[in-house]
Amino acid sequence: MRAAPRQRLRLAQRRSPRWPIVAPFFINRAALVVALKSTVFKATLQVADIDHGHYAEQTLTLARHPSETDERLMVRIVALALQAHQLVDLCRGDGTLAFGAGLSDPDDPDVSLTDFTGRKRLWVEVGQPDDKPLVRACSRADAVVVYAFSAAAEVWWRGIQSKVARLQRLQVWQLPSESTRALAEMAERTMQLQATVQDGALTLSSARGSVHIEPRRWQ
């Protein structure tokens, strides 16, 4: 004798496991991309490096990661200006001096110089990188330069100094924190900048004023 429809429904309910109902979870990828989108800055940089006899003008485009500060952005420009002469000194003008991906890609340098063969002649980092990335950078480039800044730079250096002392391709410079903080006031989406390098110091100027920076070499 067959069970009535209502009885069959009750039997099915007893036999079926009582799984909780979970609402599907969706990621709004478009919103995620917008939230992490970099801000584009453009700058015309005139470099007068009296120490090395290098005079040039460069049109720069920088992508600022959402977590990057104006101070760090401007330190990247200072790093490029300090090393601009290497385009001629190392590559005889036949190379590319450019910004890397910055904070968007931790395996990419903040500034790099690549010659016409694709050889990485110079790798520049700003901030306080760990020792392992610096070891990798020294294996990938002829020279690696770090420009450390912020009030925490000396603490960072004491913790890392013994770990990188053996890296012969590495130079480490400290930029005074009071100078780099002042750089942040110069940041604009579109900038006209003049960098003068003399006696190892750099003066960066714009319509907003000027900042004098005297790098101090730690290694």
Side-chain angles (χ1 to χ4, degrees), residues 62-84:
L62 302 91
R64 191 187 71 182
H65 189 272
S67 65
E68 185 174 35
T69 63
D70 285 343
E71 180 182 12
R72 190 182 191 280
L73 176 87
M74 297 304 295
V75 169
R76 285 201 282 152
I77 294 176
V78 166
L80 185 143
L82 286 168
Q83 296 295 329

Side-chain angles (χ1 to χ4, degrees), residues 6-83:
R6 218 175 261 180
Q7 291 174 325
R8 286 202 300 269
L9 178 60
R10 292 194 191 99
L11 288 170
Q13 288 174 337
R14 283 198 295 267
R15 291 169 184 167
S16 300
R18 292 179 176 271
W19 299 108
I21 298 175
V22 180
F25 178 75
F26 296 102
I27 296 176
N28 188 332
R29 295 182 182 277
L32 186 62
V33 170
V34 171
L36 297 178
K37 187 176 181 181
S38 296
T39 304
V40 176
F41 286 70
K42 293 183 179 295
T44 299
L45 176 65
Q46 295 178 337
V47 178
D49 189 334
I50 298 169
D51 291 348
H52 300 92
H54 177 75
Y55 304 88
E57 180 176 299
Q58 287 187 272
T59 300
L60 309 173
T61 299
L62 302 91
R64 191 187 71 182
H65 189 272
S67 65
E68 185 174 35
T69 63
D70 285 343
E71 180 182 12
R72 190 182 191 280
L73 176 87
M74 297 304 295
V75 169
R76 285 201 282 152
I77 294 176
V78 166
L80 185 143
L82 286 168
Q83 296 295 329

Side-chain angles (χ1 to χ4, degrees), residues 12-205:
Q13 288 174 337
R14 283 198 295 267
R15 291 169 184 167
S16 300
R18 292 179 176 271
W19 299 108
I21 298 175
V22 180
F25 178 75
F26 296 102
I27 296 176
N28 188 332
R29 295 182 182 277
L32 186 62
V33 170
V34 171
L36 297 178
K37 187 176 181 181
S38 296
T39 304
V40 176
F41 286 70
K42 293 183 179 295
T44 299
L45 176 65
Q46 295 178 337
V47 178
D49 189 334
I50 298 169
D51 291 348
H52 300 92
H54 177 75
Y55 304 88
E57 180 176 299
Q58 287 187 272
T59 300
L60 309 173
T61 299
L62 302 91
R64 191 187 71 182
H65 189 272
S67 65
E68 185 174 35
T69 63
D70 285 343
E71 180 182 12
R72 190 182 191 280
L73 176 87
M74 297 304 295
V75 169
R76 285 201 282 152
I77 294 176
V78 166
L80 185 143
L82 286 168
Q83 296 295 329
H85 68 94
Q86 301 285 21
L87 181 60
V88 175
D89 294 353
L90 296 179
C91 300
R92 299 181 182 273
D94 195 359
T96 302
L97 180 67
F99 293 111
L103 294 178
S104 298
D105 185 354
D107 293 326
D108 208 37
D110 288 307
V111 178
S112 66
L113 174 62
T114 308
D115 68 17
F116 72 97
T117 68
R119 178 179 172 184
K120 196 76 74 180
R121 304 301 299 270
L122 181 65
W123 182 299
V124 180
E125 295 282 352
V126 304
Q128 290 83 47
D130 292 333
D131 58 300
K132 291 181 180 179
L134 292 178
V135 172
R136 288 196 297 269
C138 287
S139 68
R140 297 168 61 184
D142 293 350
V144 177
V145 180
V146 174
Y147 289 106
F149 67 97
S150 87
E154 292 191 8
V155 176
W156 163 81
W157 180 237
R158 286 197 296 270
I160 201 176
Q161 183 177 8
S162 61
K163 300 177 183 178
V164 299
R166 61 186 175 83
L167 301 177
Q168 296 183 354
R169 296 182 178 185
L170 175 67
Q171 289 185 18
V172 180
W173 296 79
Q174 183 246 354
L175 305 181
S177 57
E178 60 273 15
S179 298
T180 59
R181 285 196 300 269
L183 286 173
E185 302 299 321
M186 301 175 68
E188 299 180 89
R189 293 288 298 276
T190 302
M191 296 178 279
Q192 299 284 334
L193 302 170
Q194 299 81 41
T196 303
V197 182
Q198 186 173 15
D199 297 329
L202 178 142
T203 301
L204 190 69
S205 305

